Amino acid sequence: MNESKKLALESVVQETGPQPDHAIIWLHGLGADGHDFVPIVPHLKAAQLRPVRFIFPHAPIRPVTINGGMAMRAWYDIIGASIDRDQDEAGILASVEAVNDVIQQQIKDGFNADRIVVAGFSQGGAIGLRAGLAQRSPLAGVIALSCYLLQSATLETWSSPSSSAVPIFMGHGQQDPVVPMALGQAAADRLSAAGYSVEWHDYPMPHSVSPEEIQAIDQWLEQRWS
């Protein structure tokens, strides 16, 4: 059995109107599930002005080393406190493949790749960046919240040249005790230096999402879709 089959992702799906022609795949953080970001849908005016399909996948349940081996929903294992270094490569690649399957399913359902946005928070944001920038058919954009860049040193080997123009929204809390903002800034700097178009936002908040950040995401989405 290959990893993509083992990680076939169940999802919560919501649509803001009939026959949607835009889609957002939104990945939750460590220990949450696909329901975590469902409440954001009515707060995104850009998604109320046109029919949009939201897909909120559930990460697989796995033991997480840094949490004493407790089993929880996680996109990959976190082995140590240096979260940008102690990485579970096999888990990362399996989740990237599973998210790619979700993207490809939307394309099979009739969505053009350039009308699909991949979004995520924390672990979900890290996987969203990793999966979104590897697409051969460029997506409409990537939203990466309170996260960092997985496999940053090898960006040029796993990213797709055709995705170099994909716009990226990055948001982070200035008082984030879980994923220090310096890691998010380092990711934005690395991507910008590699030629990506990164829009950076930071807010006076911890490891969370604020109304101001949601408003900025809404405006960014409207720019992508108008």
Side-chain angles (χ1 to χ4, degrees), residues 162-180:
S162 60
S163 289
S164 61
V166 172
I168 303 168
F169 179 104
M170 296 193 73
H172 217 109
Q174 296 163 1
Q175 293 93 38
D176 191 332
V178 178
V179 181

Side-chain angles (χ1 to χ4, degrees), residues 7-11 25-34 37 55-64 72-78 88-100 102 119-128 131 148 150:
L7 294 188
L9 302 175
E10 295 184 0
S11 304
I25 300 164
W26 205 300
L27 309 177
H28 63 78
L30 177 67
D33 64 20
F37 276 90
I55 306 99
F56 300 97
H58 302 296
I61 297 173
R62 69 176 82 224
V64 176
M72 62 186 65
R73 292 199 180 275
W75 297 105
Y76 50 91
D77 188 16
I78 297 180
D88 166 22
E89 184 174 6
I92 290 166
L93 294 179
S95 284
V96 167
E97 185 176 354
V99 171
N100 184 62
V102 177
F121 175 79
S122 195
Q123 261 204 345
I127 288 293
Y148 48 91
L150 292 165

Side-chain angles (χ1 to χ4, degrees), residues 1-7:
M1 181 180 291
N2 61 41
E3 291 290 352
S4 64
K5 292 299 183 183
K6 286 197 286 187
L7 294 188

Side-chain angles (χ1 to χ4, degrees), residues 78-95:
I78 297 180
I79 300 168
S82 299
I83 57 176
D84 59 326
R85 295 179 183 177
D86 299 309
Q87 296 174 0
D88 166 22
E89 184 174 6
I92 290 166
L93 294 179
S95 284

Side-chain angles (χ1 to χ4, degrees), residues 170-199:
M170 296 193 73
H172 217 109
Q174 296 163 1
Q175 293 93 38
D176 191 332
V178 178
V179 181
M181 191 173 75
L183 293 183
Q185 289 179 320
D189 291 346
R190 174 75 170 97
L191 291 166
S192 295
Y196 289 90
S197 176
V198 180
E199 183 175 316

